[in-house]
PDB file of all heavy atoms in Angstrom:
ATOM      1  N   ALA A 136      -3.815   2.346 -21.411  1.00  0.00           N
ATOM      2  CA  ALA A 136      -4.178   1.596 -20.212  1.00  0.00           C
ATOM      3  C   ALA A 136      -3.037   1.518 -19.209  1.00  0.00           C
ATOM      4  O   ALA A 136      -3.275   1.511 -17.989  1.00  0.00           O
ATOM      5  CB  ALA A 136      -4.625   0.187 -20.600  1.00  0.00           C
ATOM      6  N   VAL A 137      -1.796   1.475 -19.682  1.00  0.00           N
ATOM      7  CA  VAL A 137      -0.660   1.375 -18.760  1.00  0.00           C
ATOM      8  C   VAL A 137      -0.068   2.734 -18.401  1.00  0.00           C
ATOM      9  O   VAL A 137       0.940   2.814 -17.713  1.00  0.00           O
ATOM     10  CB  VAL A 137       0.439   0.444 -19.326  1.00  0.00           C
ATOM     11  CG1 VAL A 137      -0.083  -0.969 -19.443  1.00  0.00           C
ATOM     12  CG2 VAL A 137       0.961   0.951 -20.670  1.00  0.00           C
ATOM     13  N   GLY A 138      -0.699   3.815 -18.875  1.00  0.00           N
ATOM     14  CA  GLY A 138      -0.315   5.147 -18.442  1.00  0.00           C
ATOM     15  C   GLY A 138       0.674   5.887 -19.312  1.00  0.00           C
ATOM     16  O   GLY A 138       1.227   6.909 -18.900  1.00  0.00           O
ATOM     17  N   ALA A 139       0.900   5.406 -20.540  1.00  0.00           N
ATOM     18  CA  ALA A 139       1.843   6.092 -21.426  1.00  0.00           C
ATOM     19  C   ALA A 139       1.286   7.416 -21.928  1.00  0.00           C
ATOM     20  O   ALA A 139       2.046   8.320 -22.294  1.00  0.00           O
ATOM     21  CB  ALA A 139       2.206   5.196 -22.610  1.00  0.00           C
ATOM     22  N   THR A 140      -0.039   7.528 -21.966  1.00  0.00           N
ATOM     23  CA  THR A 140      -0.674   8.762 -22.423  1.00  0.00           C
ATOM     24  C   THR A 140      -1.764   9.159 -21.434  1.00  0.00           C
ATOM     25  O   THR A 140      -2.187   8.375 -20.586  1.00  0.00           O
ATOM     26  CB  THR A 140      -1.301   8.588 -23.819  1.00  0.00           C
ATOM     27  OG1 THR A 140      -2.325   7.559 -23.747  1.00  0.00           O
ATOM     28  CG2 THR A 140      -0.264   8.165 -24.838  1.00  0.00           C
ATOM     29  N   GLY A 141      -2.227  10.386 -21.567  1.00  0.00           N
ATOM     30  CA  GLY A 141      -3.322  10.868 -20.727  1.00  0.00           C
ATOM     31  C   GLY A 141      -2.834  11.469 -19.423  1.00  0.00           C
ATOM     32  O   GLY A 141      -1.672  11.321 -19.017  1.00  0.00           O
ATOM     33  N   GLY A 142      -3.732  12.163 -18.760  1.00  0.00           N
ATOM     34  CA  GLY A 142      -3.421  12.768 -17.484  1.00  0.00           C
ATOM     35  C   GLY A 142      -2.469  13.943 -17.611  1.00  0.00           C
ATOM     36  O   GLY A 142      -2.211  14.461 -18.698  1.00  0.00           O
ATOM     37  N   THR A 143      -1.927  14.338 -16.482  1.00  0.00           N
ATOM     38  CA  THR A 143      -0.984  15.464 -16.450  1.00  0.00           C
ATOM     39  C   THR A 143       0.249  15.052 -15.635  1.00  0.00           C
ATOM     40  O   THR A 143       0.427  15.495 -14.498  1.00  0.00           O
ATOM     41  CB  THR A 143      -1.634  16.704 -15.832  1.00  0.00           C
ATOM     42  OG1 THR A 143      -2.173  16.357 -14.542  1.00  0.00           O
ATOM     43  CG2 THR A 143      -2.738  17.241 -16.720  1.00  0.00           C
ATOM     44  N   PRO A 144       1.085  14.195 -16.200  1.00  0.00           N
ATOM     45  CA  PRO A 144       2.282  13.765 -15.463  1.00  0.00           C
ATOM     46  C   PRO A 144       3.244  14.916 -15.231  1.00  0.00           C
ATOM     47  O   PRO A 144       3.256  15.903 -15.972  1.00  0.00           O
ATOM     48  CB  PRO A 144       2.891  12.698 -16.383  1.00  0.00           C
ATOM     49  CG  PRO A 144       2.400  13.048 -17.749  1.00  0.00           C
ATOM     50  CD  PRO A 144       1.016  13.607 -17.545  1.00  0.00           C
ATOM     51  N   PHE A 145       4.070  14.781 -14.185  1.00  0.00           N
ATOM     52  CA  PHE A 145       5.058  15.799 -13.849  1.00  0.00           C
ATOM     53  C   PHE A 145       6.050  15.986 -14.993  1.00  0.00           C
ATOM     54  O   PHE A 145       6.496  17.093 -15.276  1.00  0.00           O
ATOM     55  CB  PHE A 145       5.785  15.388 -12.571  1.00  0.00           C
ATOM     56  CG  PHE A 145       6.824  16.362 -12.123  1.00  0.00           C
ATOM     57  CD1 PHE A 145       6.477  17.604 -11.613  1.00  0.00           C
ATOM     58  CD2 PHE A 145       8.172  16.043 -12.216  1.00  0.00           C
ATOM     59  CE1 PHE A 145       7.442  18.510 -11.203  1.00  0.00           C
ATOM     60  CE2 PHE A 145       9.149  16.939 -11.812  1.00  0.00           C
ATOM     61  CZ  PHE A 145       8.784  18.174 -11.301  1.00  0.00           C
ATOM     62  N   GLU A 146       6.408  14.894 -15.648  1.00  0.00           N
ATOM     63  CA  GLU A 146       7.237  14.909 -16.842  1.00  0.00           C
ATOM     64  C   GLU A 146       6.803  13.758 -17.728  1.00  0.00           C
ATOM     65  O   GLU A 146       5.994  12.926 -17.315  1.00  0.00           O
ATOM     66  CB  GLU A 146       8.723  14.804 -16.492  1.00  0.00           C
ATOM     67  CG  GLU A 146       9.079  13.578 -15.683  1.00  0.00           C
ATOM     68  CD  GLU A 146      10.537  13.603 -15.246  1.00  0.00           C
ATOM     69  OE1 GLU A 146      11.186  14.640 -15.391  1.00  0.00           O
ATOM     70  OE2 GLU A 146      11.019  12.560 -14.769  1.00  0.00           O
ATOM     71  N   ALA A 147       7.327  13.698 -18.940  1.00  0.00           N
ATOM     72  CA  ALA A 147       6.903  12.647 -19.863  1.00  0.00           C
ATOM     73  C   ALA A 147       7.145  11.266 -19.254  1.00  0.00           C
ATOM     74  O   ALA A 147       8.224  10.996 -18.717  1.00  0.00           O
ATOM     75  CB  ALA A 147       7.655  12.780 -21.184  1.00  0.00           C
ATOM     76  N   PRO A 148       6.147  10.370 -19.302  1.00  0.00           N
ATOM     77  CA  PRO A 148       6.332   9.023 -18.761  1.00  0.00           C
ATOM     78  C   PRO A 148       7.491   8.300 -19.449  1.00  0.00           C
ATOM     79  O   PRO A 148       7.756   8.506 -20.640  1.00  0.00           O
ATOM     80  CB  PRO A 148       4.995   8.335 -19.061  1.00  0.00           C
ATOM     81  CG  PRO A 148       4.012   9.451 -19.219  1.00  0.00           C
ATOM     82  CD  PRO A 148       4.785  10.581 -19.824  1.00  0.00           C
ATOM     83  N   ASN A 149       8.174   7.457 -18.692  1.00  0.00           N
ATOM     84  CA  ASN A 149       9.236   6.627 -19.245  1.00  0.00           C
ATOM     85  C   ASN A 149       8.614   5.349 -19.808  1.00  0.00           C
ATOM     86  O   ASN A 149       8.008   4.572 -19.071  1.00  0.00           O
ATOM     87  CB  ASN A 149      10.260   6.284 -18.166  1.00  0.00           C
ATOM     88  CG  ASN A 149      11.402   5.438 -18.707  1.00  0.00           C
ATOM     89  OD1 ASN A 149      11.901   5.694 -19.801  1.00  0.00           O
ATOM     90  ND2 ASN A 149      11.800   4.430 -17.957  1.00  0.00           N
ATOM     91  N   VAL A 150       8.737   5.147 -21.113  1.00  0.00           N
ATOM     92  CA  VAL A 150       8.113   4.006 -21.786  1.00  0.00           C
ATOM     93  C   VAL A 150       9.207   3.059 -22.274  1.00  0.00           C
ATOM     94  O   VAL A 150      10.090   3.455 -23.036  1.00  0.00           O
ATOM     95  CB  VAL A 150       7.252   4.466 -22.982  1.00  0.00           C
ATOM     96  CG1 VAL A 150       6.604   3.259 -23.663  1.00  0.00           C
ATOM     97  CG2 VAL A 150       6.187   5.465 -22.520  1.00  0.00           C
ATOM     98  N   GLU A 151       9.140   1.801 -21.813  1.00  0.00           N
ATOM     99  CA  GLU A 151      10.099   0.783 -22.228  1.00  0.00           C
ATOM    100  C   GLU A 151       9.342  -0.330 -22.948  1.00  0.00           C
ATOM    101  O   GLU A 151       8.354  -0.855 -22.411  1.00  0.00           O
ATOM    102  CB  GLU A 151      10.826   0.199 -21.022  1.00  0.00           C
ATOM    103  CG  GLU A 151      11.549   1.195 -20.142  1.00  0.00           C
ATOM    104  CD  GLU A 151      12.020   0.555 -18.862  1.00  0.00           C
ATOM    105  OE1 GLU A 151      13.047  -0.159 -18.888  1.00  0.00           O
ATOM    106  OE2 GLU A 151      11.348   0.757 -17.825  1.00  0.00           O
ATOM    107  N   TYR A 152       9.803  -0.699 -24.116  1.00  0.00           N
ATOM    108  CA  TYR A 152       9.183  -1.798 -24.848  1.00  0.00           C
ATOM    109  C   TYR A 152       9.930  -3.090 -24.534  1.00  0.00           C
ATOM    110  O   TYR A 152      11.164  -3.133 -24.525  1.00  0.00           O
ATOM    111  CB  TYR A 152       9.181  -1.512 -26.343  1.00  0.00           C
ATOM    112  CG  TYR A 152       8.230  -0.400 -26.709  1.00  0.00           C
ATOM    113  CD1 TYR A 152       8.678   0.923 -26.809  1.00  0.00           C
ATOM    114  CD2 TYR A 152       6.870  -0.655 -26.908  1.00  0.00           C
ATOM    115  CE1 TYR A 152       7.801   1.953 -27.123  1.00  0.00           C
ATOM    116  CE2 TYR A 152       5.987   0.364 -27.215  1.00  0.00           C
ATOM    117  CZ  TYR A 152       6.453   1.663 -27.324  1.00  0.00           C
ATOM    118  OH  TYR A 152       5.582   2.676 -27.617  1.00  0.00           O
ATOM    119  N   LEU A 153       9.166  -4.148 -24.261  1.00  0.00           N
ATOM    120  CA  LEU A 153       9.725  -5.409 -23.788  1.00  0.00           C
ATOM    121  C   LEU A 153       9.487  -6.510 -24.808  1.00  0.00           C
ATOM    122  O   LEU A 153       8.392  -6.636 -25.357  1.00  0.00           O
ATOM    123  CB  LEU A 153       9.077  -5.808 -22.456  1.00  0.00           C
ATOM    124  CG  LEU A 153       8.998  -4.711 -21.373  1.00  0.00           C
ATOM    125  CD1 LEU A 153       8.199  -5.220 -20.183  1.00  0.00           C
ATOM    126  CD2 LEU A 153      10.386  -4.283 -20.954  1.00  0.00           C
ATOM    127  N   ASP A 154      10.497  -7.303 -25.042  1.00  0.00           N
ATOM    128  CA  ASP A 154      10.372  -8.474 -25.914  1.00  0.00           C
ATOM    129  C   ASP A 154      10.153  -9.679 -25.016  1.00  0.00           C
ATOM    130  O   ASP A 154      11.096 -10.215 -24.420  1.00  0.00           O
ATOM    131  CB  ASP A 154      11.643  -8.640 -26.755  1.00  0.00           C
ATOM    132  CG  ASP A 154      11.507  -9.761 -27.777  1.00  0.00           C
ATOM    133  OD1 ASP A 154      10.374 -10.225 -27.990  1.00  0.00           O
ATOM    134  OD2 ASP A 154      12.539 -10.182 -28.344  1.00  0.00           O
TER     135      ASP A 154
END
Side-chain angles (χ1 to χ4, degrees):
V137 295
T140 61
T143 54
F145 180 70
E146 57 186 11
N149 181 42
V150 180
E151 304 170 78
Y152 290 94
L153 312 174
D154 186 13

